[in-house]
Amino acid sequence: MTDIAAPSAARDRETSEIVEQRAFGFWLYLMSDAIIFALLFMTFVVMSHGTADGPTAKELFSLPRTFAETMLLLVSSLTFGFASLAAGDRHKAGVLGWLAVTFVLGLGFVALEIGEFAGMVAIGAGPDRSGFLSAFFTLVGTHGLHVSFGLIFIVIMAAQIAVRGLTVPATSRLFRLGLFWHFLDIVWIGIFSVVYLPGVM
């Protein structure tokens, strides 16, 4: 009995150490990402008046569209929270269901953002038009790219849970993915407050 229990305890300890190492690596990544976004925000603030006689934020931004994007992302953060709660209850179907809802909401956000970018480029307000637009496309585009990667990770995560179940490593990855998703939510609130809201006022 002791001989059987010893390898099992060693495996559990090893799994726990791996999870802790990955969690530490994830926090390092998240901090580096926060620094990148802080630099992009500062760049935008500096360049926000450099329109080069081109279209201004007030002429380009649509508050209803931005509000819709904000609501999609905020609600997706809520649904990811429900997925995490379902994981805590070991409710696999609940986790998969809430991840699917989160994916659809995130996809809606990305679709609206692509539509906004395409509309701006179509009227000659692309990233090469002015310093203001270069900074805008870089900041908002980088965030949109992160959301797109998040959607890919949600699909991978859902597939792993569907096949392997709510194992300790899978639950740990789900937790980190949730932190990543909430982090993108916070960044978007910053974009809404610093980029869009002052732009239309």
Side-chain angles (χ1 to χ4, degrees):
M1 179 95 179
T2 307
D3 292 342
I4 296 173
S8 175
R11 273 198 304 274
D12 290 345
R13 192 166 52 249
E14 187 179 352
T15 301
S16 176
E17 287 173 359
I18 291 172
V19 167
E20 286 177 11
Q21 288 169 3
R22 288 179 179 172
F24 179 69
F26 171 77
W27 280 110
L28 288 179
Y29 160 74
L30 211 56
M31 283 190 287
S32 65
D33 234 15
I35 292 171
I36 290 171
F37 275 110
L39 293 172
L40 292 177
F41 270 110
M42 284 191 287
T43 304
F44 177 81
V45 170
V46 171
M47 304 293 284
S48 58
H49 298 293
T51 57
D53 293 328
T56 64
K58 198 163 189 173
E59 295 168 330
L60 294 171
F61 296 163
S62 163
L63 204 53
R65 175 194 287 270
T66 310
F67 180 72
E69 289 176 280
T70 303
M71 291 311 297
L72 283 171
L73 208 55
L74 287 178
V75 175
S76 76
S77 202
L78 182 68
T79 55
F80 206 118
F82 288 143
S84 300
L85 289 175
D89 293 337
R90 315 296 300 166
H91 189 206
K92 179 178 162 181
V95 174
L96 294 175
W98 285 118
L99 284 180
V101 175
T102 304
F103 179 86
V104 171
L105 292 169
L107 195 62
F109 171 86
V110 172
L112 281 178
E113 196 160 85
I114 290 173
E116 179 185 27
F117 285 180
M120 291 171 71
V121 170
I123 60 171
D128 58 338
R129 180 65 183 81
S130 65
F132 155 65
L133 286 169
S134 294
F136 167 79
F137 273 95
T138 304
L139 172 58
V140 181
T142 301
H143 176 268
L145 205 57
H146 276 67
V147 175
S148 301
F149 283 130
L151 292 176
I152 294 170
F153 293 144
I154 285 174
V155 171
I156 294 171
M157 188 79 254
Q160 286 182 349
I161 291 174
V163 173
R164 299 176 186 170
L166 289 167
T167 59
V168 172
T171 307
S172 173
R173 279 194 290 274
L174 181 69
F175 174 71
R176 292 195 296 274
L177 182 56
L179 286 177
F180 176 72
W181 198 257
H182 299 317
F183 168 74
L184 295 179
D185 225 11
I186 293 169
V187 173
W188 178 257
I189 290 170
I191 290 174
F192 181 79
S193 305
V194 174
V195 177
Y196 287 101
L197 207 52
V200 297
M201 291 179 69

